[in-house]
Amino acid sequence: MKKAAFVYSEKYLSYKFNSEHPFNQQRIQLTLDLLNKHGAISPSDIVPSRQASDEELELVHDPGYVNAVRQAGRGTLPGNKAESYGLGTEDTPIFPNMHESSAELVGGTLTAADYVMTGKAEHALNLGGGLHHGFRGKASGFCVYNDSSVAIKYIQEKYGARVLYIDTDAHHGDGVQWTFYDDPDVCTLSLHETGRYLFPGTGGINERGQGKGYGFTFNVPLDAFTEDDSWLYAYRKSFREVCAYFRPDVILTQNGADAHYYDPLTHLSATMKIYREIPKLAHELAHEYCNGRWIAVGGGGYDIWRVVPRAWALIWLEMTDNPRSTGPLPAAWLEAWKSRATMPLPEYWDDPEGIYKPIPRKPDIEEKNALTLEKALYPIQSSKNTACGQKQN
Ligand SMILES: [Zn+2]
């Protein structure tokens, strides 16, 4: 058994809206090159992705939508129809072969799922995935097909496993949440910047699931300008408690890297410190609860030079128990990319102290986040009380 599989294909780079669009898959190439130049990955670790079939996409997506995406990518979808499917918007423009490119990212997450669920690898990473805003019949927020939603349904049907999905992208993991909102065998936990000023606006603590699925959706909306310690407190406490409560068979982590202070689209104030800790705890809990079964996907992340390559490389280093994750970045990587980078590249794995000016409202933000967390985890606390009550009777 492999310790970890890195699912990748150059086809991922063809998921490209246009040259001005902030969603840029070159970040995967930058990450892989960083790992290569760090001597942390070998060709035998890399597993090729595949294109998901229509039948697989339709585990979650409407057939009419899949057809519309295919037509859009061939330039034959009428404008009014495109609009009703969320295609051709400023966020999610139409591009050539968008069906094939989008289905490839989904197939990558399915490949990662198969590797982990059949025991070919303990862990698997598909940085092309994590498109958490994709809906059943609509594209949204840079996402066409929702690879995590499709993979979770696929895992349920093929392996009968209960999945915990945890999403640490700065944006709410709405697409995955709504797909499994009434399903008690899938638990979703999303930590994100409050939707007050940020897309998609949902992800409040009171979105807790419905019907049989009530109590299996968790949201921790954090205040704008949240810093490392407060973010990590919420992450560690919610992830541990939800794991103990749900006891998953497999953990799927969405690793959007847009909560960093440098990210141009969001307003959180995290540093590389959280990107070191995120995979560490996922790894630990996967071994504690799931016999190691951990699938990780990418997601957002719009500072592709200073943030994403380091953050995503750290997931792989954690998966492979590689302790060489501090100190300077490989000189060959810096040399290879510095002339192409639109800003100075970081020289170390960690951020230096003080990359931003102190946040004046820090204590208020911490207090507010702690209260939000308590309310968000309330169903767990109340289920514990009920369980105690039943024991006494
Ligand atoms: Zn995001």
Side-chain angles (χ1 to χ4, degrees):
M1 188 200 267
K2 277 175 176 297
K3 199 168 258 179
F6 188 104
V7 182
Y8 177 73
S9 146
E10 285 203 358
K11 289 180 192 153
Y12 285 180
L13 304 175
S14 66
Y15 187 87
K16 187 174 166 66
F17 297 104
N18 56 56
S19 54
E20 283 85 51
H21 198 284
F23 191 95
N24 185 344
Q25 293 294 47
Q26 197 185 6
R27 60 211 176 126
I28 307 177
Q29 215 180 11
L30 288 163
T31 304
L32 183 56
D33 193 52
L34 175 56
L35 289 168
N36 269 320
K37 299 211 158 98
H38 193 53
I41 195 163
S42 67
S44 67
D45 295 323
I46 299 174
V47 173
S49 57
R50 65 177 175 85
Q51 192 179 319
S53 67
D54 284 14
E55 196 186 349
E56 287 165 341
L57 296 171
E58 289 165 14
L59 288 168
V60 163
H61 294 288
D62 292 333
Y65 174 59
V66 175
N67 275 331
V69 174
R70 189 178 268 118
Q71 283 183 303
R74 291 175 185 161
T76 58
L77 186 69
N80 60 333
K81 263 191 115 182
E83 204 178 326
S84 70
Y85 289 114
L87 299 166
T89 61
E90 195 184 329
D91 270 5
T92 317
I94 290 167
F95 59 94
N97 300 315
M98 75 189 297
H99 167 79
E100 290 74 13
S101 306
S102 307
E104 189 76 27
L105 305 181
V106 177
T109 303
L110 298 180
T111 300
D114 279 329
Y115 261 71
V116 168
M117 298 311 294
T118 59
K120 269 198 231 169
E122 274 190 301
H123 322 304
L125 177 59
N126 178 36
L127 294 172
L131 302 183
H132 61 171
H133 300 306
F135 288 89
R136 188 173 288 276
K138 199 166 185 172
S140 170
F142 318 160
C143 304
V144 180
Y145 298 135
N146 193 318
D147 58 289
S148 294
S149 289
V150 174
I152 293 169
K153 273 271 194 238
Y154 178 85
I155 290 169
Q156 285 188 301
E157 296 207 346
K158 191 167 173 187
Y159 302 104
R162 294 166 68 256
V163 184
L164 171 62
Y165 170 83
I166 170 165
D167 184 319
T168 49
D169 193 284
H171 300 90
H172 175 224
D174 57 351
V176 184
Q177 168 177 304
W178 302 125
T179 300
F180 300 102
Y181 209 52
D182 57 3
D183 188 342
D185 295 321
V186 176
C187 186
T188 65
L189 165 61
S190 179
L191 282 95
H192 44 265
E193 178 183 335
T194 163
R196 205 166 308 139
Y197 305 109
L198 190 69
F199 179 89
T202 49
I205 44 176
N206 294 322
E207 292 163 23
R208 300 190 189 276
Q210 70 185 10
K212 286 188 178 156
Y214 185 84
F216 295 100
T217 295
F218 293 92
N219 282 294
V220 185
L222 299 165
D223 241 24
F225 309 109
T226 291
E227 295 174 83
D228 290 334
D229 291 349
S230 182
W231 195 97
L232 282 171
Y233 177 75
Y235 172 69
R236 291 188 176 120
K237 191 167 162 74
S238 61
F239 196 177
R240 274 188 196 287
E241 288 206 9
V242 169
C243 257
Y245 161 83
F246 183 68
R247 309 193 70 86
D249 299 317
V250 54
I251 296 172
L252 172 55
T253 63
Q254 192 273 14
N255 294 271
D258 49 3
H260 195 283
Y261 176 77
Y262 288 150
D263 193 89
L265 298 193
T266 67
H267 320 95
L268 296 171
S269 299
T271 72
M272 287 309 296
K273 202 167 151 190
I274 73 165
Y275 295 109
R276 181 175 291 289
E277 299 302 318
I278 289 168
K280 205 183 276 179
L281 183 59
H283 194 189
E284 182 189 323
L285 292 174
H287 281 286
E288 195 176 328
Y289 289 93
C290 309
N291 213 1
R293 285 184 292 268
W294 171 28
I295 302 155
V297 294
Y302 308 99
D303 189 321
I304 70 158
W305 300 107
R306 293 180 296 182
V307 178
V308 185
R310 290 185 296 166
W312 284 0
L314 285 170
I315 305 170
W316 179 254
L317 296 179
E318 178 60 42
M319 278 189 171
T320 52
D321 293 313
N322 189 329
R324 295 185 306 114
S325 62
T326 55
L329 295 176
W333 185 78
L334 296 169
E335 198 48 50
W337 296 100
K338 72 176 180 198
S339 62
R340 273 176 274 185
T342 55
M343 53 188 76
L345 293 169
E347 289 177 19
Y348 292 86
W349 284 96
D350 293 290
D351 287 324
E353 288 296 317
I355 59 167
Y356 57 83
K357 284 198 204 125
I359 309 277
R361 288 176 49 241
K362 182 172 184 162
D364 298 348
I365 293 169
E366 287 179 349
E367 202 185 312
K368 201 164 164 204
N369 286 342
L371 199 63
T372 299
L373 180 66
E374 201 181 303
K375 288 185 197 156
L377 299 176
Y378 171 77
I380 296 180
Q381 214 48 53
S382 76
S383 82
K384 278 186 196 154
N385 292 341
T386 315
C388 287
Q390 279 166 350
K391 251 181 226 159
Q392 281 159 8
N393 291 337

